[in-house]
Amino acid sequence: MGQWDVFLSPYKQAVDELKVKLKGIRSQFGIVNANSPIEFVTGRVKPLASIYDKSLEKGVPFEPSDKLAEELQDIAGLRIMCQFVDDISAVTELIRQRNDMKIIEEKDYITHSKPSGYRSHHMIVEYPVETLRGKKIVIAEIQIRTLAMNFWASIEHSLNYKYKGVFPEEIKNRLQSAAEAAFRLDEEMSLIRSEIQDAQTYFSEYKEDLAVLTNNPEKEREK
Ligand code: 0O2
Ligand code: 0O2
């Protein structure tokens, strides 16, 4: 195993464990027939090429070290997608109440969006993983955002990669107006939130009833 593999292995473990735990929140809402504030969860260990880019940006030597672990807080990254803006504070509250991770910083890019137009709530947490050499505390970044915020951020991220952060004026303006459109979409959806949630509850119950009728107990639990 190379030095990087050894360095990154607790991060991989943290991402795997946190993904299961955060997806678990969604399942628990399903079991009690409540609308989950979590739509879906993704996670990744930052690829080495991105670690390299970020270490250059931050002026930290590109080597597996405590310094790098301290400076790059998103080597382990989790992303929680929500349907509605209000779900974001519900999710952050659920995370604040947990005993299995310690929040060390929060960044509210929703009240104060970034100049690019980026919106999201970030939580930097310390999460302990058990390794062969004992307990290791890993720093992880949890990004919480709506589906609309996620759509904008994914598109902007790919364009950023192409233009290396220096966008032509035309693209920059388009991205700004797309960010405003995503903001308005979130607002519009919030206004019909209860209508949407009623429909979703109705559909879940319908699926459950149908599962009972067709005698498929496995499907009955799938919510
Ligand atoms: P399902 O039932 O397929 O939705 P892995 O690392 O491969 O073991 P995972 O979770 O499969 O773990 O991969 P990843 O990339 O971390 O997370 C992807 C999850 O997000 C998958 O769910 C995708 O289905 C889900 N996902 C991605 N985009 C969307 C989206 O736009 N809407 C919804 N609802 N889900 C999305 P699962 O966990 O595989 O389950
Ligand atoms: P990836 O994996 O490519 O997404 P700081 O040290 O606080 O000054 P830092 O460490 O860059 O700044 O943290 P920040 O800005 O709070 O969060 C960084 C991550 O948030 C990024 O990770 C993105 O995932 C996301 N992000 C922040 N700003 C933007 C933005 O303008 N557009 C998009 N699309 N995403 C953004 P990376 O490093 O890009 O890694």
Side-chain angles (χ1 to χ4, degrees):
M1 229 189 183
Q3 271 192 321
W4 278 110
D5 289 330
V6 174
F7 177 76
L8 293 177
S9 94
Y11 290 96
K12 182 172 182 324
Q13 193 174 328
V15 168
D16 289 346
E17 290 183 15
L18 285 168
K19 236 165 35 175
V20 168
K21 290 182 175 192
L22 297 170
K23 287 179 181 190
I25 301 178
R26 177 180 162 83
S27 332
Q28 288 174 47
F29 276 93
I31 289 165
V32 296
N33 278 336
N35 291 107
S36 167
I38 294 179
E39 179 67 4
F40 66 96
V41 177
T42 65
R44 60 101 184 94
V45 174
K46 204 173 184 69
L48 261 192
S50 311
I51 295 183
Y52 175 73
D53 288 346
K54 200 126 184 201
S55 67
L56 280 188
E57 216 177 274
K58 297 211 170 227
V60 187
F62 176 62
E63 59 196 16
S65 65
D66 289 346
K67 172 96 177 134
L68 192 87
E70 229 171 82
E71 291 287 330
L72 269 63
Q73 298 186 313
D74 67 340
I75 297 177
L78 281 302
R79 204 167 268 168
I80 301 178
M81 264 55 68
C82 308
Q83 289 187 335
F84 304 100
V85 179
D86 286 349
D87 292 337
I88 296 174
S89 45
V91 173
T92 51
E93 203 43 52
L94 286 169
I95 292 176
R96 285 188 196 122
Q97 282 164 15
R98 296 183 73 106
N99 295 316
D100 54 352
M101 58 192 85
K102 184 176 159 209
I103 298 157
I104 52 171
E105 195 182 347
E106 290 196 45
K107 299 176 187 173
D108 178 1
Y109 298 131
I110 293 176
T111 320
H112 307 284
S113 59
K114 286 204 156 189
S116 59
Y118 177 76
R119 290 188 306 137
S120 229
H121 189 91
H122 293 191
M123 298 178 102
I124 314 292
V125 301
E126 282 179 348
Y127 179 74
V129 290
E130 292 295 334
T131 73
L132 290 179
R133 285 191 262 161
K135 181 155 94 173
K136 166 120 186 74
I137 307 267
V138 164
I139 294 182
E141 181 189 73
I142 307 177
Q143 300 181 341
I144 309 157
R145 46 169 80 151
T146 62
L147 296 168
M149 294 172 194
N150 190 48
F151 181 36
W152 184 91
S154 325
I155 302 290
E156 198 260 1
H157 193 270
S158 15
L159 287 173
N160 216 328
Y161 187 75
K162 177 173 174 189
Y163 292 110
K164 304 202 166 28
V166 190
F167 293 119
E169 200 61 23
E170 156 89 12
I171 305 272
K172 198 172 135 192
N173 294 339
R174 292 266 175 225
L175 280 170
Q176 293 281 357
S177 79
E180 282 158 30
F183 178 79
R184 282 200 306 279
L185 177 59
D186 274 334
E187 277 189 331
E188 289 295 327
M189 289 302 181
S190 294
L191 294 176
I192 51 167
R193 179 189 173 126
S194 60
E195 190 77 18
I196 297 168
Q197 291 197 322
D198 284 352
Q200 289 170 345
T201 308
Y202 173 78
F203 185 59
S204 302
E205 283 169 3
Y206 171 76
K207 274 200 301 187
E208 205 170 335
D209 291 348
L210 201 64
V212 172
L213 277 175
T214 55
N215 196 19
N216 185 346
E218 237 174 68
K219 287 275 171 211
E220 206 176 321
R221 299 212 57 80
E222 208 183 81
K223 295 200 75 196

